[in-house]
Amino acid sequence: MGGLRLLAVALTCCWWPPGSEGKTVRGTFSSAAARDAQGQSIGHFEFHGDHALLCVRINNIAVAVEKEAKLYLFQAQEWLKLWESSHGYSCSERLSKAQLTMTMNQTEHNLTLSQIPYPQTWHVFYADKYTCQDDNENSQVEDILFEMMLLNPDAEGNPFDHFSAGESGLHEFFFLLVLVYFVIACIYAQSLWQAIKKGGPMHMILKVLTTALLLQAGSALANYIHFSSYSKDGIGVPFMGSLAEFFDIASQIQMLYLLLSLCMGWTIVRMKKSQSRPLQWDSTPASTGIAVFIVITQSILLLWEQFEDASPHSYHSHHNLAGVLLIILRICLALSLGCGLYQIVTAERSTLKREFYITFAKGCILWFLCHPVLVCISVIFSEYQRDKVITIGVILCQSISMVILYRLFLSHSLYWEVSSLSSVTLPLTISSGHKSRPHF
């Protein structure tokens, strides 16, 4: 099991996307790029309120004036209609349909977007007099360095908020999440460490579960650090954002392997062990092979999803093929594990044991199904709120799932009684090449 986790973590480290840009964008306005794409895409932002602001600073006014440099702003829906239209608009016709235009003939330009009735995504494009020309004679024209800030109004109505409408509230959420983790650590860390240090039949399970919890806490802390910096400069700390995603993926891998190993142990080893001694969580070739295949599949899909999704701060996304395949995989896992546990519960006569398995099934199903269910629920929300609802919901649901499993494996009123009565059905003693009786 340790080897598989190291392999998955190593794979994640070696194949990791660069940090996403924030809403303070720095780069160059390029005539060549604008001509090739019929408008150089600079970025997009979800503006809201009455005093949203786009601020641009350039370093070479003379070149901008000579090239007749302009920024064109399109509402997302209008831009999509233009590209999907069957009219076949020319380059100049498409640019002429921009809702807002900014001529760059000064060092600093401020464009206020007022009276936006509801949050809207706007796309920003650069173009100049060479953009719609067919010849390449001006391909060597000097580029223009720029810095662009996209700002929404804050609580007082001043345009100082770097967060788009879809990102608002995430900074406060991760602050509260980190605070909760800190309080819980202060209360339970010592007793949990003593339980792990004692060893016993659930020693490995508690180690893996605690590792996954620490990774989730690390992801929350890294997100909070990134968003704290992002709120000040619109860039944040891209490394911390990527680190948060890495911790989240590693936590998903840990939990997936833990739940699969337990369920495979109950399903496969149950049929092979005799009735005379406690059932153990053995790493049989069948259970290990299935778990390894599913874990590697999920790892590849998670990394593929991160590479294809260029949106900053988009966690647990489902906007591409990898995200859809992840949802399908989680539904299949929940159904298969649920069916396996249902067969065990229906065959079990002991009330305590049935309660144990039912509680474990709740934790498993909540972990796997929270993402697909939240994706379905999110359709009732506005488009700009959906990713935020999914992100916050998945984090909270998976945290609740971990609490359920911790209570289950540490409960002196349920786990200990069930394990003391069990002679067959609790594979919670980890085999390490020796045959030892479980000790409590």
Side-chain angles (χ1 to χ4, degrees):
M1 178 170 156
L4 176 63
R5 298 203 309 269
L6 288 175
L7 173 62
V9 171
L11 176 64
T12 310
C13 288
C14 294
W15 186 14
W16 195 251
S20 301
E21 287 186 350
K23 293 311 173 187
T24 295
V25 183
R26 298 186 179 100
T28 59
F29 294 134
S30 169
S31 296
R35 183 175 57 252
D36 292 341
Q38 296 186 354
Q40 180 186 0
S41 177
I42 305 302
H44 64 274
F45 193 68
E46 291 169 341
F47 290 106
H48 67 83
D50 293 333
H51 300 288
L53 180 68
L54 185 150
C55 177
V56 181
R57 299 185 182 96
I58 59 176
N59 74 326
N60 196 328
I61 302 174
V63 174
V65 171
E66 189 275 329
K67 295 199 297 184
E68 300 177 11
K70 295 181 181 180
L71 289 181
Y72 296 85
L73 278 74
F74 296 84
Q75 291 182 6
Q77 292 180 349
E78 296 300 324
W79 177 253
L80 189 61
K81 289 179 182 177
L82 283 175
W83 278 104
E84 293 180 349
S85 174
S86 59
H87 294 295
Y89 292 108
S90 66
C91 171
S92 56
E93 288 175 335
R94 187 179 291 117
L95 292 175
S96 68
K97 293 185 178 295
Q99 281 72 44
L100 294 170
T101 304
M102 176 192 290
T103 300
M104 291 183 289
N105 52 15
Q106 301 176 22
T107 302
E108 181 172 331
H109 302 75
N110 294 316
L111 177 63
T112 300
L113 288 77
S114 58
Q115 297 180 349
I116 301 176
Y118 55 89
Q120 298 174 343
T121 300
W122 288 71
H123 293 273
V124 183
F125 292 87
Y126 166 80
D128 54 38
K129 67 180 183 181
Y130 306 117
T131 299
C132 296
Q133 294 181 1
D134 295 330
D135 59 80
N136 296 325
E137 63 183 39
N138 296 292
S139 59
Q140 301 301 321
V141 175
E142 183 180 351
D143 294 337
I144 304 170
L145 292 173
F146 75 91
E147 179 183 78
M148 182 174 69
M149 288 189 295
L150 303 163
L151 300 165
N152 275 320
D154 58 15
E156 298 177 355
N158 300 314
F160 297 145
D161 187 2
H162 290 278
F163 292 102
S164 70
E167 299 163 344
S168 61
L170 288 177
H171 182 206
E172 293 79 5
F173 168 73
F174 283 111
F175 168 75
L176 293 175
L177 189 61
V178 169
L179 182 62
V180 169
Y181 276 126
F182 176 75
V183 172
I184 292 176
C186 291
I187 298 174
Y188 296 107
Q190 185 175 0
S191 57
L192 180 59
W193 171 249
Q194 290 175 351
I196 295 175
K197 196 174 180 180
K198 286 180 181 178
M202 69 288 195
H203 174 68
M204 182 59 70
I205 295 172
L206 288 179
K207 281 180 64 176
V208 177
L209 193 58
T210 302
T211 302
L213 180 62
L214 290 174
L215 287 169
Q216 281 205 332
S219 176
L221 179 60
N223 270 319
Y224 173 68
I225 294 172
H226 172 59
F227 279 114
S228 295
S229 178
Y230 186 91
S231 65
K232 299 174 183 176
D233 59 15
I235 298 176
V237 186
F239 170 75
M240 297 304 294
S242 295
L243 188 64
E245 295 175 13
F246 165 74
F247 283 154
D248 181 68
I249 289 180
S251 175
Q252 300 287 330
I253 294 170
Q254 290 269 357
M255 285 297 296
L256 177 62
Y257 193 78
L258 171 65
L259 298 180
L260 283 176
S261 297
L262 285 172
C263 292
M264 294 298 172
W266 274 315
T267 304
I268 296 176
V269 186
R270 177 186 175 91
M271 298 183 296
K272 296 183 178 180
K273 293 287 184 179
S274 66
Q275 302 285 324
S276 61
R277 62 187 183 85
L279 194 62
Q280 295 179 329
W281 176 16
D282 288 315
S283 295
T284 63
S287 62
T288 301
I290 295 173
V292 167
F293 174 76
I294 296 176
V295 167
I296 291 178
T297 300
Q298 175 171 284
S299 302
I300 293 173
L301 289 176
L302 285 167
L303 293 168
W304 179 11
E305 178 189 38
Q306 292 298 326
F307 270 97
E308 285 203 352
D309 191 355
S311 301
H313 314 152
S314 181
Y315 307 106
H316 308 286
S317 144
H318 59 284
H319 305 298
N320 49 48
L321 178 60
V324 174
L325 291 176
L326 270 173
I327 290 176
I328 294 173
L329 175 63
R330 286 165 178 158
I331 293 174
C332 293
L333 286 172
L335 291 175
S336 61
L337 297 182
C339 290
L341 289 169
Y342 175 77
Q343 292 176 357
I344 295 175
V345 170
T346 53
E348 187 57 65
R349 297 181 179 179
S350 169
T351 302
L352 280 174
K353 293 177 187 177
R354 282 201 305 270
E355 184 180 350
F356 179 89
Y357 288 122
I358 290 171
T359 305
F360 181 80
K362 290 178 182 177
C364 287
I365 293 173
L366 179 60
W367 180 274
F368 289 121
L369 283 188
C370 63
H371 186 193
V373 170
L374 284 166
V375 168
C376 296
I377 293 175
S378 68
V379 299
I380 67 176
F381 293 89
S382 300
E383 185 176 357
Y384 74 93
Q385 293 178 320
R386 290 173 186 171
D387 282 348
K388 184 165 53 178
V389 168
I390 294 171
T391 297
I392 294 175
V394 167
I395 291 173
L396 292 179
C397 288
Q398 291 186 344
S399 298
I400 293 172
S401 175
M402 282 189 168
V403 171
I404 292 173
L405 294 176
Y406 263 118
R407 290 185 52 142
L408 185 66
F409 293 122
L410 290 175
S411 173
H412 286 262
S413 61
L414 179 59
Y415 172 80
W416 295 89
E417 291 186 38
V418 172
S419 60
S420 63
L421 292 172
S422 174
S423 62
V424 178
T425 57
L426 290 179
L428 301 181
T429 303
I430 311 302
S431 292
S432 302
H434 60 277
K435 306 297 181 181
S436 59
R437 293 177 59 84
H439 58 282
F440 302 97

